Amino acid sequence: MENKAVIIGIAGGSASGKTSIAQSIYDRFKGSHRVKIIKQDDYYKDQSDKTMEERVKTNYDHPFAFDNDLLVSDLKKLKKKERIEKPTYDYSKHTRSDITEVIEDRDVIILEGIFVLAEEEVRDLCDILIYVDTDADIRFIRRLRRDVEERARTVDSVCNQYLETVRPMHEQFIEPSKKYAHIIIPEGGTNTVAIDLLITKISSILGD
């Protein structure tokens, strides 16, 4: 095998099941320390130069919210199995955290995020492109439950955000990126057949 990491990009709408699929793959290989999940959300732009009032107005469902240059730079290094210090994001402060995570020498990188297929430079660095295609009503219900139960949001705030930014950004940027996918997986983490096929493909890449 050529001594380069394989990058698997997993995209799809908010609450489509991207994380579940990435985690299922990781759980199969985690004992070998050869696979690493990277969340595109960790590459939200640093906003420490803004006031809190300005930060909370950020549209996190728009491509401009991400530090794409840093993500591309880090992916190029990871492809060559070079060391990076990945940023992390502090959602309570709406800006980048002071904590970084060191990653190096992994055979498979799983990159998951809503804009993975939408950004050409990111897309071109991925060897396998996956789009998780889950119906809008299912995604909304999942997002509503998650934000109310885990993030202490109100139902009204979740609904307003969905109507004002999440849905229009999905229709403008994310849904059209589906055409770039090598594989389209309906229903996310519940699609065990698709996940098993991916695991078989990754096993062949790793020589397992």
Side-chain angles (χ1 to χ4, degrees):
M1 184 177 73
E2 186 180 4
N3 192 31
K4 285 187 176 181
V6 171
I7 301 178
I8 300 170
I10 303 178
S14 174
S16 59
K18 301 180 298 299
T19 302
S20 296
I21 290 174
Q23 192 63 45
S24 294
I25 297 169
Y26 176 79
D27 287 345
R28 166 61 179 79
F29 296 102
K30 64 183 178 183
S32 65
H33 303 290
R34 297 168 71 186
V35 179
K36 180 67 180 177
I37 297 173
I38 292 181
K39 295 181 180 294
Q40 188 182 27
D41 288 1
D42 280 333
Y43 287 84
Y44 281 127
K45 288 178 180 175
D46 181 67
Q47 300 196 107
S48 55
D49 60 330
K50 297 181 179 179
T51 65
M52 181 58 76
E53 186 180 5
E54 290 173 322
R55 294 179 197 178
V56 297
K57 293 178 181 177
T58 299
N59 178 0
Y60 287 105
D61 293 281
H62 193 285
F64 288 165
F66 294 88
D67 189 342
N68 203 51
D69 290 341
L70 179 60
L71 175 58
V72 168
S73 174
D74 280 355
L75 288 176
K76 287 178 178 177
K77 291 176 183 175
L78 289 169
K79 190 117 184 147
K80 294 185 285 187
K81 297 191 175 181
E82 294 177 359
R83 179 182 185 275
I84 69 162
E85 286 193 41
K86 183 184 67 63
T88 60
Y89 202 77
D90 187 335
Y91 293 93
S92 65
K93 296 180 180 177
H94 296 273
T95 192
R96 190 169 291 166
S97 166
D98 294 329
I99 299 168
T100 58
E101 180 185 3
V102 174
I103 303 172
E104 57 188 336
D105 194 23
R106 301 298 174 103
D107 291 323
V108 177
I109 300 294
I110 302 171
L111 173 67
E112 65 105 337
I114 58 176
F115 290 111
V116 169
L117 268 65
E119 295 289 352
E120 184 177 5
E121 285 187 289
V122 174
R123 192 169 67 237
D124 288 348
L125 287 166
C126 295
D127 300 280
I128 301 172
L129 295 169
I130 298 164
Y131 187 90
V132 186
D133 196 13
T134 303
D135 289 344
D137 54 350
I138 302 296
R139 289 188 290 104
F140 173 71
I141 291 166
R142 287 177 182 171
R143 184 182 176 104
L144 181 64
R145 284 177 174 166
R146 180 195 67 193
D147 287 0
V148 171
E149 294 172 7
E150 299 175 17
R151 301 180 182 179
R153 299 276 303 278
T154 65
V155 172
D156 281 349
S157 72
V158 176
C159 292
N160 289 338
Q161 184 182 18
Y162 182 81
L163 293 172
E164 291 170 9
T165 60
V166 177
R167 187 174 70 175
M169 296 300 98
H170 178 86
E171 292 173 351
Q172 183 176 351
F173 296 108
I174 301 164
E175 181 72 22
S177 76
K178 180 166 61 175
K179 66 184 178 183
Y180 299 111
H182 299 129
I183 303 164
I184 296 174
I185 300 179
E187 300 304 325
T190 60
N191 193 328
T192 55
V193 172
I195 292 168
D196 287 345
L197 288 170
L198 277 173
I199 288 170
T200 300
K201 175 64 176 176
I202 296 166
S203 293
S204 70
I205 292 168
L206 295 176
D208 290 348

